[in-house]
Amino acid sequence: MIADPARSCILAYLLDGHYATAGELAECAGIGASTASSHLAKLADAGLVVAESRGRHRYFKLADADVAHALEALALVAERGTHTRRWAARGPLRYARCCYGHLAGELGVALKDSLLRGGLLSGGNEGFELTDAGRAWLAELGVTLPASRRSQRLAYACIDWSERRDHLAGALAVTLLDHFVKRNWLRSDPKSRALALTPLGSRELLPLLKTSA
């Protein structure tokens, strides 16, 4: 199911965790609308994507975080031996990108490392919990975990495709990325998963990661 080139493009496009229309997915895969609909039906039947109807339109996204992590893990295997060469030309994407709603790339790894070094998270690769210092840090930052995410896993390690190290995944990671974007520290690219660090982010986010250590 994943090996088909068009379906691979569709799944890769959806890795940022957002919804997309069939037309957008057809364009990214370089195929016609009817062909895209056929591929999306197969992906939905296989449990890899889900659809939501809103008015006259249907929107598609990856079924869940497990699918996203599986795709990233397969990409790690596929790029063995070619990783350095392939990522040398992906500077913005490697520096910061969206991975199913959370921050990945160099900044994503730096975020996880800083939270652990600063004692804001405790635990291991099976999952992390906020410490008292971590809860105080979130309050100072003005971040509150939405009620809709409180039933999800709070935080856990997710292997980073480009860095070959762990970044942070889970409800906390998604909430933090939302906050960074709303504060205009990071700006999303509508045509890719890349996230651009803004001048404000250079002044506010980067020191935040360093001072959390």
Side-chain angles (χ1 to χ4, degrees), residues 12-148:
Y13 188 89
L14 293 174
L15 264 174
D16 64 358
H18 296 125
Y19 282 97
T21 65
E24 290 170 331
L25 296 171
E27 182 179 357
C28 85
I31 55 179
S34 61
T35 303
S37 295
S38 175
H39 283 310
L40 287 166
K42 292 176 181 178
L43 290 170
D45 287 343
L48 297 177
V49 304
V50 292
E52 181 176 321
S53 296
R54 297 180 184 177
R56 295 163 47 191
H57 300 284
R58 295 186 77 205
Y59 294 84
F60 297 85
K61 69 179 295 187
L62 294 185
D64 52 38
D66 288 340
V67 174
H69 297 157
L71 293 172
E72 292 257 333
L74 286 171
L76 288 172
V77 175
E79 291 189 354
R80 283 187 299 191
T82 63
H83 175 265
T84 301
R85 174 171 54 82
R86 285 177 178 269
W87 280 98
R90 301 173 180 171
L93 197 63
R94 181 169 190 172
Y95 183 65
R97 64 183 181 276
C98 183
C99 174
Y100 204 71
H102 56 260
L103 181 61
E106 292 178 24
L107 281 189
V109 172
L111 173 64
K112 172 182 169 289
D113 288 349
S114 68
L115 294 180
L116 288 172
R117 286 198 309 267
L120 307 182
L121 291 177
S122 63
N125 287 343
E126 295 303 313
F128 303 107
E129 295 294 334
L130 282 166
T131 62
D132 289 342
R135 284 186 283 272
W137 178 77
L138 285 183
E140 183 179 349
L141 199 61
V143 173
T144 302
L145 197 68
S148 60

